[in-house]
Amino acid sequence: MPEQPFLLLLLLLLLLSSILSSTATTTVAARQFKEAPQFYNSPDCPSIVENHHRAEDNAEKPEADDDGIFLCSETAVHVAMTLDTAYIRGSMAAILSILQHSSCPQNVVFHFVASASADAPHLRATISASFPYLRFWLYRFHDSAVSGLISTSIRSALDCPLNYARSYLADLLPPCVRKVVYLDSDLILVDDIAKLASTPLGESTILAAPEYCNANFTAYFTLTFWSNPSLSSTFAGRTPCYFNTGVMVMDLDRWRRGGYTKKIEEWMELQKRMRIYELGSLPPFLLVLAGRIAAVDHRWNQHGLGGDNFRGLCRDLHPGPVSLLHWSGKGKPWARLDANRPCPLDALWAPYDLLQTPFSLDS
């Protein structure tokens, strides 16, 4: 029968597709990373005092008992990041850069947030293998908490539920963690993170981040938003400026007391009914907090190095000193390096890449 060869060909194509998909998944899961060197505190680093708080039930706790005194320490520098297999290579480079440039690396505590559906033991083992001395906790984020609120944006990567986890840090981390530095996975630091963490927030400010008041703020919202007086008036009485949510110093105590997660969710609910913005998790932050944050020097977020959200073309640094390089945008340095199409600034990321390649030589 004439349709039999066609059906046979179709079956072969489906089988080949399944094999290729399985191979790609195995390649991601089987990535091996080098062990990073251990970094030690300088003599003048403050000591971490013991406390009697405990981790929340959704946190994977470290095995070492003495690590518990760091969880709620106000002396430690608390860093929050999301963690997944797609960006794990960037996360590893970011961690290494933080430790390498910290004057008190043993006082840095990491709070990693992963999807509840992710392979948490694999993520934990990957981090522990490269950083066996690292003090970190892993928290499970249930996608269902936000998936019903997400609207499609201009780039599919921005629609991942984990991309919205930064809005839920105050709920995920233990109440005793009062202040964190939130960082994206596509960045590296070349300065001491303690300087960023010590940004003064004043008596009532919730958040600190570099502001960019020269950016076209109106472009972050649709004509539907600006043409509706009841919506556009949300910025009345403040001078809103764009800020990038990939680098933030957050007062979680004030966030909890002010119910800021709920405020962000309310704007996301409105977005589901009438399209008032196009760009993922950023606009709700701007709606709630733009014009109400503490300023941070621009050196702490040299962002946009990944180009725009469509083509990811190469970009230069902004004028001025640099403490943090951020590959926000579509182009990621590890992907461009693997494709042999790196941008000039990707060479600054490469020394922090811990991926074990067949040609790597252990020192």
Side-chain angles (χ1 to χ4, degrees), residues 21-36:
S21 175
S22 175
T23 301
T25 302
T26 303
T27 300
V28 171
R31 280 177 176 167
Q32 297 293 319
F33 294 91
K34 295 175 285 189
E35 181 175 337

Side-chain angles (χ1 to χ4, degrees), residues 214-240:
N214 291 329
N216 182 9
F217 189 79
T218 58
Y220 291 96
F221 303 96
T222 64
L223 183 61
T224 300
F225 174 85
W226 292 115
S227 61
N228 188 324
S230 64
L231 296 178
S232 58
S233 64
T234 189
F235 295 115
R238 47 179 166 146
T239 306

Side-chain angles (χ1 to χ4, degrees), residues 302-338:
Q302 286 272 346
H303 68 289
L305 303 185
D308 60 23
N309 283 298
F310 299 100
R311 293 184 294 171
L313 300 178
C314 299
R315 285 186 177 174
D316 294 327
L317 289 173
H318 305 290
V322 180
S323 292
L324 183 151
L325 297 98
H326 187 187
W327 279 262
S328 57
K330 184 178 181 180
K332 304 305 175 188
W334 56 89
R336 296 192 295 214
L337 287 164
D338 285 351

Side-chain angles (χ1 to χ4, degrees), residues 47-53 65-75:
S47 59
I48 302 297
V49 297
E50 186 170 1
N51 60 68
H52 302 287
H53 298 285
D65 291 336
D66 60 347
D67 279 354
I69 69 173
F70 285 79
L71 176 62
C72 302
S73 170
E74 295 185 17
T75 308

